[in-house]
Amino acid sequence: MHPDIREILFTREQIAARVRALGEQIAALYPASGRGEPPLLAVGILKGCVPFFADLIRALPLPLEIDFLSLSSYGAGTASSGQVRLGQDLSVPVAGRDVLVVEDIVDSGRTLARLKELLAARGPRSVRVAALLDKPSRRAVPFVPDFVGFTVEDAFVVGCGMDYAGRYRNLPYIGVLRRGVYGG
Ligand code: IMP
């Protein structure tokens, strides 16, 4: 275990099993697209989505396309700024399409609530959200993800895409940082 990690919440094996189950659950919700219709568009929110996104799309037995966008996030802190700005935008239009947004974690809910508004204004057929982790006790705005890997208590977690000050995204498990590491 990494010396900055206090406790492992979910192991690599637990995450893999959960993502496989999520893939089946999600695939069951999207009927095969008709001939000539564009397939499901899986949209990853950079950078935290990367490991979850890569695993999830491979667990989806569906025709799909992928795209990415980036949003302003926490910077180097552990508390939400409350401000959500679009950075890198999608490379394709979403009008008329089924969109599956893939995110690492829902905390205050501000990021995804805002992103859903932003995407909805572009006229997609549907927008659903898959999050690897959910911290419902931290909501500042009402937001319920459609698909959740794991629900966690109010602890700052890293690994499997989630970072503190840009680090720990590559840890294959999800763990809680030692308090001394971020002064929390
Ligand atoms: P929200 O807008 O407060 O829901 O924040 C969502 C974003 O905050 C996530 O995409 C993460 O980048 C970041 N975040 C929230 N909680 C954590 C955490 O426990 N560890 C790492 N990043 C987090």
Side-chain angles (χ1 to χ4, degrees), residues 56-125:
L56 185 65
I57 59 169
R58 287 178 294 174
L60 285 174
L62 293 174
L64 59 78
E65 290 175 3
I66 67 172
D67 206 352
F68 297 93
L69 56 79
S70 70
L71 297 165
S72 64
S73 67
Y74 277 16
T78 59
S80 177
S81 66
Q83 293 269 327
V84 180
R85 280 188 309 275
L86 185 62
Q88 179 188 314
D89 202 349
L90 294 172
S91 64
V92 294
V94 298
R97 299 192 68 165
D98 289 317
V99 177
L100 176 67
V101 173
V102 181
E103 170 69 310
D104 51 3
I105 183 165
V106 187
D107 186 40
S108 73
R110 286 192 183 97
T111 304
L112 284 165
R114 180 78 193 102
L115 179 64
K116 268 191 103 164
E117 276 175 19
L118 219 136
L119 292 177
R122 298 179 183 184
R125 180 156 73 179

Short mmCIF file of all heavy atoms in Angstrom, two decimals, residues 56-125:
data_model
loop_
_atom_site.label_atom_id
_atom_site.label_comp_id
_atom_site.label_asym_id
_atom_site.label_seq_id
_atom_site.Cartn_x
_atom_site.Cartn_y
_atom_site.Cartn_z
N LEU A 56 -15.16 0.75 -17.93
CA LEU A 56 -16.61 0.72 -18.14
C LEU A 56 -16.96 0.51 -19.61
O LEU A 56 -17.83 -0.31 -19.93
CB LEU A 56 -17.26 2.00 -17.61
CG LEU A 56 -18.78 2.02 -17.67
CD1 LEU A 56 -19.38 0.96 -16.74
CD2 LEU A 56 -19.34 3.39 -17.30
N ILE A 57 -16.31 1.24 -20.51
CA ILE A 57 -16.69 1.08 -21.93
C ILE A 57 -16.40 -0.34 -22.42
O ILE A 57 -17.11 -0.87 -23.24
CB ILE A 57 -16.05 2.14 -22.87
CG1 ILE A 57 -14.53 2.09 -22.82
CG2 ILE A 57 -16.59 3.54 -22.56
CD1 ILE A 57 -13.86 2.92 -23.91
N ARG A 58 -15.37 -0.97 -21.82
CA ARG A 58 -15.07 -2.35 -22.23
C ARG A 58 -16.02 -3.35 -21.59
O ARG A 58 -16.05 -4.51 -21.97
CB ARG A 58 -13.62 -2.69 -21.91
CG ARG A 58 -12.68 -1.97 -22.89
CD ARG A 58 -11.23 -2.24 -22.58
NE ARG A 58 -10.87 -1.67 -21.29
CZ ARG A 58 -9.68 -1.86 -20.71
NH1 ARG A 58 -8.77 -2.60 -21.30
NH2 ARG A 58 -9.43 -1.28 -19.56
N ALA A 59 -16.80 -2.88 -20.60
CA ALA A 59 -17.81 -3.75 -19.98
C ALA A 59 -19.19 -3.51 -20.60
O ALA A 59 -20.18 -4.06 -20.14
CB ALA A 59 -17.86 -3.48 -18.48
N LEU A 60 -19.26 -2.66 -21.63
CA LEU A 60 -20.54 -2.34 -22.27
C LEU A 60 -20.64 -3.06 -23.62
O LEU A 60 -19.99 -2.65 -24.58
CB LEU A 60 -20.67 -0.83 -22.49
CG LEU A 60 -20.97 0.02 -21.26
CD1 LEU A 60 -20.91 1.50 -21.61
CD2 LEU A 60 -22.33 -0.33 -20.69
N PRO A 61 -21.45 -4.10 -23.69
CA PRO A 61 -21.58 -4.82 -24.95
C PRO A 61 -22.55 -4.12 -25.90
O PRO A 61 -23.60 -4.65 -26.25
CB PRO A 61 -22.12 -6.19 -24.50
CG PRO A 61 -22.87 -5.89 -23.25
CD PRO A 61 -22.25 -4.68 -22.62
N LEU A 62 -22.20 -2.90 -26.29
CA LEU A 62 -23.07 -2.05 -27.12
C LEU A 62 -22.21 -1.35 -28.16
O LEU A 62 -21.05 -1.05 -27.87
CB LEU A 62 -23.63 -0.89 -26.28
CG LEU A 62 -24.59 -1.09 -25.15
CD1 LEU A 62 -24.80 0.24 -24.46
CD2 LEU A 62 -25.91 -1.61 -25.73
N PRO A 63 -22.81 -0.99 -29.31
CA PRO A 63 -22.07 -0.08 -30.20
C PRO A 63 -22.00 1.26 -29.49
O PRO A 63 -23.01 1.74 -28.96
CB PRO A 63 -22.95 0.02 -31.45
CG PRO A 63 -24.08 -0.92 -31.26
CD PRO A 63 -24.14 -1.32 -29.81
N LEU A 64 -20.84 1.85 -29.43
CA LEU A 64 -20.77 3.19 -28.83
C LEU A 64 -19.60 3.97 -29.39
O LEU A 64 -18.68 3.40 -29.99
CB LEU A 64 -20.69 3.12 -27.30
CG LEU A 64 -19.57 2.39 -26.59
CD1 LEU A 64 -18.28 3.19 -26.56
CD2 LEU A 64 -19.98 2.12 -25.14
N GLU A 65 -19.67 5.27 -29.21
CA GLU A 65 -18.55 6.15 -29.54
C GLU A 65 -18.12 6.83 -28.26
O GLU A 65 -18.90 6.90 -27.30
CB GLU A 65 -18.99 7.22 -30.56
CG GLU A 65 -19.25 6.63 -31.93
CD GLU A 65 -19.79 7.66 -32.92
OE1 GLU A 65 -19.92 8.85 -32.56
OE2 GLU A 65 -20.12 7.25 -34.04
N ILE A 66 -16.89 7.30 -28.23
CA ILE A 66 -16.42 7.97 -27.02
C ILE A 66 -15.99 9.40 -27.33
O ILE A 66 -15.60 9.74 -28.46
CB ILE A 66 -15.24 7.22 -26.35
CG1 ILE A 66 -13.98 7.24 -27.20
CG2 ILE A 66 -15.65 5.79 -26.02
CD1 ILE A 66 -12.75 6.69 -26.49
N ASP A 67 -16.10 10.24 -26.34
CA ASP A 67 -15.62 11.61 -26.44
C ASP A 67 -15.29 12.08 -25.02
O ASP A 67 -15.61 11.40 -24.04
CB ASP A 67 -16.67 12.51 -27.10
CG ASP A 67 -16.02 13.71 -27.79
OD1 ASP A 67 -14.80 13.93 -27.64
OD2 ASP A 67 -16.76 14.44 -28.49
N PHE A 68 -14.64 13.23 -24.93
CA PHE A 68 -14.20 13.71 -23.61
C PHE A 68 -14.45 15.21 -23.50
O PHE A 68 -14.50 15.93 -24.49
CB PHE A 68 -12.69 13.46 -23.43
CG PHE A 68 -12.34 12.01 -23.45
CD1 PHE A 68 -11.97 11.39 -24.64
CD2 PHE A 68 -12.42 11.24 -22.30
CE1 PHE A 68 -11.68 10.03 -24.68
CE2 PHE A 68 -12.14 9.88 -22.32
CZ PHE A 68 -11.76 9.28 -23.51
N LEU A 69 -14.60 15.65 -22.25
CA LEU A 69 -14.59 17.08 -22.00
C LEU A 69 -13.90 17.31 -20.66
O LEU A 69 -13.71 16.37 -19.88
CB LEU A 69 -16.00 17.69 -22.02
CG LEU A 69 -17.08 17.14 -21.12
CD1 LEU A 69 -16.93 17.65 -19.69
CD2 LEU A 69 -18.44 17.59 -21.64
N SER A 70 -13.51 18.54 -20.43
CA SER A 70 -12.91 18.83 -19.13
C SER A 70 -13.63 20.00 -18.50
O SER A 70 -14.18 20.87 -19.19
CB SER A 70 -11.41 19.13 -19.26
OG SER A 70 -11.21 20.37 -19.89
N LEU A 71 -13.67 19.99 -17.19
CA LEU A 71 -14.34 21.04 -16.41
C LEU A 71 -13.36 21.54 -15.37
O LEU A 71 -12.45 20.81 -14.97
CB LEU A 71 -15.56 20.45 -15.71
CG LEU A 71 -16.65 19.91 -16.63
CD1 LEU A 71 -17.61 19.03 -15.85
CD2 LEU A 71 -17.41 21.06 -17.29
N SER A 72 -13.60 22.74 -14.89
CA SER A 72 -12.76 23.23 -13.80
C SER A 72 -13.07 22.39 -12.57
O SER A 72 -14.21 21.98 -12.35
CB SER A 72 -13.05 24.70 -13.52
OG SER A 72 -14.38 24.84 -13.07
N SER A 73 -12.05 22.08 -11.77
CA SER A 73 -12.31 21.23 -10.60
C SER A 73 -11.73 21.88 -9.36
O SER A 73 -11.61 23.10 -9.26
CB SER A 73 -11.74 19.84 -10.84
OG SER A 73 -10.34 19.91 -10.89
N TYR A 74 -11.32 21.02 -8.43
CA TYR A 74 -10.89 21.49 -7.13
C TYR A 74 -9.56 22.25 -7.10
O TYR A 74 -9.21 22.79 -6.08
CB TYR A 74 -10.70 20.28 -6.23
CG TYR A 74 -11.95 19.77 -5.60
CD1 TYR A 74 -13.19 20.16 -6.06
CD2 TYR A 74 -11.87 18.91 -4.52
CE1 TYR A 74 -14.33 19.69 -5.48
CE2 TYR A 74 -13.01 18.43 -3.93
CZ TYR A 74 -14.24 18.82 -4.42
OH TYR A 74 -15.37 18.34 -3.82
N GLY A 75 -8.80 22.21 -8.17
CA GLY A 75 -7.44 22.74 -8.08
C GLY A 75 -6.65 21.88 -7.13
O GLY A 75 -6.77 20.66 -7.17
N ALA A 76 -5.91 22.46 -6.21
CA ALA A 76 -5.06 21.66 -5.33
C ALA A 76 -5.71 21.42 -3.97
O ALA A 76 -5.09 20.91 -3.07
CB ALA A 76 -3.70 22.34 -5.16
N GLY A 77 -6.96 21.81 -3.79
CA GLY A 77 -7.60 21.67 -2.47
C GLY A 77 -8.48 20.45 -2.39
O GLY A 77 -8.49 19.61 -3.28
N THR A 78 -9.24 20.35 -1.29
CA THR A 78 -10.15 19.22 -1.14
C THR A 78 -11.59 19.70 -0.93
O THR A 78 -12.45 18.92 -0.58
CB THR A 78 -9.74 18.33 0.06
OG1 THR A 78 -9.76 19.12 1.23
CG2 THR A 78 -8.38 17.70 -0.15
N ALA A 79 -11.85 20.99 -1.13
CA ALA A 79 -13.21 21.51 -0.98
C ALA A 79 -13.64 22.16 -2.28
O ALA A 79 -12.87 22.83 -2.94
CB ALA A 79 -13.27 22.53 0.14
N SER A 80 -14.90 21.92 -2.66
CA SER A 80 -15.39 22.41 -3.94
C SER A 80 -15.38 23.94 -3.98
O SER A 80 -15.72 24.59 -3.01
CB SER A 80 -16.81 21.90 -4.17
OG SER A 80 -17.31 22.42 -5.36
N SER A 81 -15.01 24.49 -5.15
CA SER A 81 -15.00 25.94 -5.29
C SER A 81 -16.41 26.47 -5.52
O SER A 81 -16.67 27.66 -5.36
CB SER A 81 -14.13 26.33 -6.50
OG SER A 81 -14.74 25.85 -7.67
N GLY A 82 -17.32 25.59 -5.93
CA GLY A 82 -18.68 26.03 -6.23
C GLY A 82 -18.82 26.58 -7.64
O GLY A 82 -19.91 26.79 -8.13
N GLN A 83 -17.72 26.79 -8.31
CA GLN A 83 -17.72 27.32 -9.67
C GLN A 83 -17.42 26.19 -10.64
O GLN A 83 -16.48 25.45 -10.41
CB GLN A 83 -16.60 28.36 -9.83
CG GLN A 83 -16.81 29.62 -9.03
CD GLN A 83 -17.56 30.67 -9.82
OE1 GLN A 83 -17.40 30.74 -11.05
NE2 GLN A 83 -18.38 31.45 -9.16
N VAL A 84 -18.23 26.05 -11.67
CA VAL A 84 -17.97 25.00 -12.65
C VAL A 84 -17.85 25.64 -14.03
O VAL A 84 -18.78 26.28 -14.49
CB VAL A 84 -19.10 23.95 -12.65
CG1 VAL A 84 -18.83 22.88 -13.67
CG2 VAL A 84 -19.26 23.35 -11.26
N ARG A 85 -16.71 25.49 -14.63
CA ARG A 85 -16.50 26.06 -15.97
C ARG A 85 -16.09 24.96 -16.94
O ARG A 85 -15.35 24.05 -16.57
CB ARG A 85 -15.41 27.13 -15.94
CG ARG A 85 -15.88 28.47 -15.41
CD ARG A 85 -14.81 29.52 -15.59
NE ARG A 85 -13.53 29.08 -15.06
CZ ARG A 85 -13.17 29.21 -13.78
NH1 ARG A 85 -13.97 29.79 -12.91
NH2 ARG A 85 -11.99 28.78 -13.39
N LEU A 86 -16.57 25.10 -18.18
CA LEU A 86 -16.20 24.16 -19.22
C LEU A 86 -14.80 24.48 -19.71
O LEU A 86 -14.50 25.64 -20.02
CB LEU A 86 -17.21 24.26 -20.37
CG LEU A 86 -17.08 23.27 -21.51
CD1 LEU A 86 -17.27 21.84 -21.05
CD2 LEU A 86 -18.11 23.59 -22.59
N GLY A 87 -13.94 23.49 -19.75
CA GLY A 87 -12.60 23.66 -20.32
C GLY A 87 -12.63 23.16 -21.74
O GLY A 87 -13.21 23.78 -22.62
N GLN A 88 -12.07 21.97 -21.96
CA GLN A 88 -12.11 21.35 -23.29
C GLN A 88 -13.53 20.86 -23.56
O GLN A 88 -14.13 20.17 -22.73
CB GLN A 88 -11.14 20.17 -23.31
CG GLN A 88 -11.11 19.42 -24.63
CD GLN A 88 -10.28 18.16 -24.52
OE1 GLN A 88 -9.18 18.18 -23.98
NE2 GLN A 88 -10.79 17.05 -25.01
N ASP A 89 -14.06 21.24 -24.73
CA ASP A 89 -15.43 20.85 -25.07
C ASP A 89 -15.42 19.54 -25.88
O ASP A 89 -14.37 19.08 -26.33
CB ASP A 89 -16.11 21.97 -25.88
CG ASP A 89 -17.63 21.90 -25.83
OD1 ASP A 89 -18.19 20.88 -25.37
OD2 ASP A 89 -18.27 22.87 -26.29
N LEU A 90 -16.62 18.97 -26.07
CA LEU A 90 -16.77 17.77 -26.89
C LEU A 90 -16.35 18.07 -28.33
O LEU A 90 -16.41 19.22 -28.78
CB LEU A 90 -18.24 17.32 -26.88
CG LEU A 90 -18.76 16.85 -25.53
CD1 LEU A 90 -20.28 16.63 -25.61
CD2 LEU A 90 -18.05 15.57 -25.12
N SER A 91 -16.01 17.02 -29.06
CA SER A 91 -15.61 17.22 -30.46
C SER A 91 -16.75 16.91 -31.42
O SER A 91 -16.60 17.06 -32.62
CB SER A 91 -14.39 16.35 -30.78
OG SER A 91 -14.75 14.99 -30.68
N VAL A 92 -17.90 16.45 -30.88
CA VAL A 92 -19.05 16.14 -31.75
C VAL A 92 -20.31 16.75 -31.16
O VAL A 92 -20.42 16.93 -29.94
CB VAL A 92 -19.25 14.61 -31.91
CG1 VAL A 92 -18.09 13.98 -32.65
CG2 VAL A 92 -19.46 13.93 -30.56
N PRO A 93 -21.32 17.03 -32.02
CA PRO A 93 -22.61 17.50 -31.50
C PRO A 93 -23.35 16.35 -30.81
O PRO A 93 -23.16 15.19 -31.18
CB PRO A 93 -23.37 17.95 -32.75
CG PRO A 93 -22.47 17.80 -33.90
CD PRO A 93 -21.31 16.96 -33.50
N VAL A 94 -24.17 16.69 -29.82
CA VAL A 94 -24.91 15.63 -29.11
C VAL A 94 -26.41 15.66 -29.42
O VAL A 94 -27.15 14.83 -28.90
CB VAL A 94 -24.70 15.71 -27.58
CG1 VAL A 94 -23.24 15.51 -27.22
CG2 VAL A 94 -25.22 17.02 -27.01
N ALA A 95 -26.85 16.57 -30.27
CA ALA A 95 -28.28 16.69 -30.59
C ALA A 95 -28.82 15.34 -31.05
O ALA A 95 -28.24 14.68 -31.91
CB ALA A 95 -28.49 17.76 -31.66
N GLY A 96 -29.93 14.92 -30.44
CA GLY A 96 -30.61 13.69 -30.84
C GLY A 96 -29.94 12.41 -30.35
O GLY A 96 -30.43 11.31 -30.64
N ARG A 97 -28.85 12.53 -29.62
CA ARG A 97 -28.11 11.31 -29.22
C ARG A 97 -28.33 10.93 -27.77
O ARG A 97 -28.62 11.78 -26.93
CB ARG A 97 -26.61 11.53 -29.43
CG ARG A 97 -26.26 11.81 -30.87
CD ARG A 97 -24.79 11.74 -31.09
NE ARG A 97 -24.27 10.38 -30.94
CZ ARG A 97 -23.08 9.99 -31.35
NH1 ARG A 97 -22.27 10.86 -31.94
NH2 ARG A 97 -22.68 8.75 -31.18
N ASP A 98 -28.14 9.64 -27.49
CA ASP A 98 -28.09 9.17 -26.10
C ASP A 98 -26.67 9.42 -25.60
O ASP A 98 -25.70 8.97 -26.23
CB ASP A 98 -28.40 7.68 -26.03
CG ASP A 98 -29.86 7.38 -26.31
OD1 ASP A 98 -30.72 8.12 -25.79
OD2 ASP A 98 -30.15 6.43 -27.06
N VAL A 99 -26.58 10.12 -24.47
CA VAL A 99 -25.27 10.48 -23.91
C VAL A 99 -25.13 9.85 -22.53
O VAL A 99 -26.02 9.95 -21.69
CB VAL A 99 -25.14 12.02 -23.80
CG1 VAL A 99 -23.82 12.40 -23.15
CG2 VAL A 99 -25.27 12.67 -25.17
N LEU A 100 -24.01 9.19 -22.32
CA LEU A 100 -23.70 8.63 -21.00
C LEU A 100 -22.45 9.34 -20.48
O LEU A 100 -21.35 9.15 -21.00
CB LEU A 100 -23.43 7.13 -21.10
CG LEU A 100 -23.01 6.46 -19.79
CD1 LEU A 100 -24.16 6.46 -18.77
CD2 LEU A 100 -22.52 5.02 -20.03
N VAL A 101 -22.66 10.19 -19.49
CA VAL A 101 -21.53 10.93 -18.90
C VAL A 101 -20.87 10.03 -17.86
O VAL A 101 -21.55 9.41 -17.04
CB VAL A 101 -22.03 12.24 -18.24
CG1 VAL A 101 -20.91 12.92 -17.48
CG2 VAL A 101 -22.63 13.17 -19.30
N VAL A 102 -19.55 9.96 -17.92
CA VAL A 102 -18.81 9.08 -17.01
C VAL A 102 -17.86 9.92 -16.16
O VAL A 102 -17.00 10.63 -16.70
CB VAL A 102 -18.01 8.01 -17.80
CG1 VAL A 102 -17.26 7.09 -16.84
CG2 VAL A 102 -18.95 7.21 -18.70
N GLU A 103 -18.07 9.84 -14.85
CA GLU A 103 -17.32 10.69 -13.92
C GLU A 103 -16.75 9.84 -12.79
O GLU A 103 -17.29 8.77 -12.47
CB GLU A 103 -18.31 11.75 -13.38
CG GLU A 103 -17.86 12.61 -12.23
CD GLU A 103 -16.76 13.59 -12.56
OE1 GLU A 103 -15.75 13.16 -13.16
OE2 GLU A 103 -16.87 14.78 -12.21
N ASP A 104 -15.69 10.30 -12.16
CA ASP A 104 -15.10 9.53 -11.07
C ASP A 104 -15.96 9.57 -9.81
O ASP A 104 -16.28 8.55 -9.23
CB ASP A 104 -13.65 9.99 -10.77
CG ASP A 104 -13.51 11.50 -10.58
OD1 ASP A 104 -14.53 12.23 -10.61
OD2 ASP A 104 -12.36 11.95 -10.40
N ILE A 105 -16.35 10.78 -9.38
CA ILE A 105 -17.03 10.88 -8.08
C ILE A 105 -18.00 12.05 -8.06
O ILE A 105 -17.73 13.09 -8.65
CB ILE A 105 -15.98 11.00 -6.94
CG1 ILE A 105 -16.63 11.02 -5.56
CG2 ILE A 105 -15.06 12.18 -7.12
CD1 ILE A 105 -15.65 10.78 -4.42
N VAL A 106 -19.13 11.87 -7.40
CA VAL A 106 -20.08 12.96 -7.19
C VAL A 106 -19.98 13.37 -5.73
O VAL A 106 -20.17 12.55 -4.83
CB VAL A 106 -21.53 12.55 -7.49
CG1 VAL A 106 -22.44 13.78 -7.42
CG2 VAL A 106 -21.64 11.88 -8.84
N ASP A 107 -19.69 14.64 -5.50
CA ASP A 107 -19.49 15.15 -4.15
C ASP A 107 -20.60 16.17 -3.85
O ASP A 107 -21.70 15.80 -3.45
CB ASP A 107 -18.09 15.75 -4.09
CG ASP A 107 -17.67 16.18 -2.70
OD1 ASP A 107 -17.96 15.48 -1.73
OD2 ASP A 107 -17.03 17.25 -2.59
N SER A 108 -20.35 17.46 -4.07
CA SER A 108 -21.40 18.46 -3.85
C SER A 108 -22.52 18.32 -4.87
O SER A 108 -23.64 18.76 -4.64
CB SER A 108 -20.82 19.88 -3.94
OG SER A 108 -20.53 20.19 -5.28
N GLY A 109 -22.21 17.71 -6.02
CA GLY A 109 -23.19 17.56 -7.10
C GLY A 109 -23.17 18.74 -8.07
O GLY A 109 -23.82 18.69 -9.11
N ARG A 110 -22.41 19.78 -7.74
CA ARG A 110 -22.43 20.99 -8.58
C ARG A 110 -21.92 20.72 -9.99
O ARG A 110 -22.49 21.19 -10.97
CB ARG A 110 -21.55 22.08 -7.95
CG ARG A 110 -22.16 22.72 -6.73
CD ARG A 110 -21.37 23.96 -6.34
NE ARG A 110 -21.90 24.55 -5.14
CZ ARG A 110 -21.39 24.32 -3.92
NH1 ARG A 110 -20.34 23.55 -3.76
NH2 ARG A 110 -21.94 24.89 -2.87
N THR A 111 -20.83 19.96 -10.07
CA THR A 111 -20.21 19.71 -11.38
C THR A 111 -21.20 19.04 -12.32
O THR A 111 -21.41 19.49 -13.45
CB THR A 111 -18.96 18.81 -11.22
OG1 THR A 111 -18.08 19.44 -10.28
CG2 THR A 111 -18.26 18.60 -12.53
N LEU A 112 -21.82 17.98 -11.86
CA LEU A 112 -22.67 17.21 -12.76
C LEU A 112 -24.02 17.88 -12.98
O LEU A 112 -24.58 17.77 -14.07
CB LEU A 112 -22.81 15.78 -12.25
CG LEU A 112 -21.53 14.99 -12.56
CD1 LEU A 112 -21.48 13.71 -11.77
CD2 LEU A 112 -21.41 14.70 -14.04
N ALA A 113 -24.54 18.56 -11.97
CA ALA A 113 -25.80 19.28 -12.16
C ALA A 113 -25.61 20.33 -13.26
O ALA A 113 -26.43 20.46 -14.17
CB ALA A 113 -26.24 19.93 -10.85
N ARG A 114 -24.49 21.04 -13.19
CA ARG A 114 -24.20 22.08 -14.18
C ARG A 114 -23.95 21.47 -15.56
O ARG A 114 -24.42 21.97 -16.57
CB ARG A 114 -22.97 22.87 -13.71
CG ARG A 114 -22.54 23.98 -14.61
CD ARG A 114 -23.41 25.22 -14.46
NE ARG A 114 -23.16 26.15 -15.55
CZ ARG A 114 -23.96 26.31 -16.61
NH1 ARG A 114 -25.08 25.62 -16.72
NH2 ARG A 114 -23.65 27.17 -17.56
N LEU A 115 -23.20 20.40 -15.57
CA LEU A 115 -22.88 19.77 -16.86
C LEU A 115 -24.15 19.23 -17.52
O LEU A 115 -24.32 19.34 -18.74
CB LEU A 115 -21.87 18.63 -16.67
CG LEU A 115 -21.52 17.90 -17.97
CD1 LEU A 115 -20.82 18.83 -18.95
CD2 LEU A 115 -20.67 16.67 -17.69
N LYS A 116 -25.04 18.66 -16.74
CA LYS A 116 -26.29 18.15 -17.32
C LYS A 116 -27.09 19.27 -17.95
O LYS A 116 -27.65 19.11 -19.03
CB LYS A 116 -27.12 17.41 -16.26
CG LYS A 116 -26.83 15.93 -16.23
CD LYS A 116 -27.83 15.17 -15.39
CE LYS A 116 -28.84 14.43 -16.25
NZ LYS A 116 -29.58 13.39 -15.48
N GLU A 117 -27.13 20.42 -17.28
CA GLU A 117 -27.83 21.59 -17.85
C GLU A 117 -27.21 22.00 -19.17
O GLU A 117 -27.89 22.25 -20.16
CB GLU A 117 -27.66 22.81 -16.93
CG GLU A 117 -28.63 22.91 -15.77
CD GLU A 117 -28.25 24.10 -14.89
OE1 GLU A 117 -27.50 25.03 -15.33
OE2 GLU A 117 -28.70 24.09 -13.74
N LEU A 118 -25.89 22.05 -19.13
CA LEU A 118 -25.14 22.47 -20.31
C LEU A 118 -25.37 21.54 -21.50
O LEU A 118 -25.60 21.99 -22.63
CB LEU A 118 -23.66 22.40 -19.91
CG LEU A 118 -22.72 23.44 -20.36
CD1 LEU A 118 -21.83 23.83 -19.17
CD2 LEU A 118 -21.85 22.89 -21.46
N LEU A 119 -25.37 20.23 -21.24
CA LEU A 119 -25.58 19.27 -22.32
C LEU A 119 -27.04 19.26 -22.76
O LEU A 119 -27.33 19.16 -23.96
CB LEU A 119 -25.15 17.86 -21.88
CG LEU A 119 -23.64 17.67 -21.67
CD1 LEU A 119 -23.35 16.26 -21.17
CD2 LEU A 119 -22.85 17.95 -22.95
N ALA A 120 -27.95 19.37 -21.80
CA ALA A 120 -29.38 19.34 -22.13
C ALA A 120 -29.73 20.47 -23.09
O ALA A 120 -30.59 20.31 -23.97
CB ALA A 120 -30.22 19.42 -20.87
N ALA A 121 -29.04 21.59 -22.96
CA ALA A 121 -29.31 22.75 -23.83
C ALA A 121 -28.93 22.45 -25.29
O ALA A 121 -29.32 23.18 -26.20
CB ALA A 121 -28.54 23.97 -23.33
N ARG A 122 -28.20 21.38 -25.52
CA ARG A 122 -27.79 21.02 -26.88
C ARG A 122 -28.73 20.01 -27.53
O ARG A 122 -28.45 19.51 -28.62
CB ARG A 122 -26.36 20.46 -26.87
CG ARG A 122 -25.35 21.47 -26.36
CD ARG A 122 -23.96 20.88 -26.33
NE ARG A 122 -23.02 21.84 -25.77
CZ ARG A 122 -21.71 21.63 -25.68
NH1 ARG A 122 -21.19 20.52 -26.13
NH2 ARG A 122 -20.93 22.56 -25.16
N GLY A 123 -29.81 19.67 -26.83
CA GLY A 123 -30.85 18.81 -27.42
C GLY A 123 -30.51 17.34 -27.61
O GLY A 123 -30.91 16.75 -28.61
N PRO A 124 -29.85 16.70 -26.65
CA PRO A 124 -29.62 15.25 -26.78
C PRO A 124 -30.92 14.49 -26.58
O PRO A 124 -31.88 15.04 -26.03
CB PRO A 124 -28.64 14.94 -25.63
CG PRO A 124 -28.97 15.97 -24.59
CD PRO A 124 -29.37 17.21 -25.35
N ARG A 125 -30.96 13.21 -27.00
CA ARG A 125 -32.17 12.41 -26.75
C ARG A 125 -32.24 12.07 -25.26
O ARG A 125 -33.31 12.08 -24.66
CB ARG A 125 -32.13 11.13 -27.59
CG ARG A 125 -33.36 10.28 -27.34
CD ARG A 125 -33.67 9.37 -28.49
NE ARG A 125 -32.71 8.28 -28.54
CZ ARG A 125 -32.76 7.31 -29.45
NH1 ARG A 125 -33.69 7.33 -30.40
NH2 ARG A 125 -31.87 6.34 -29.44
#
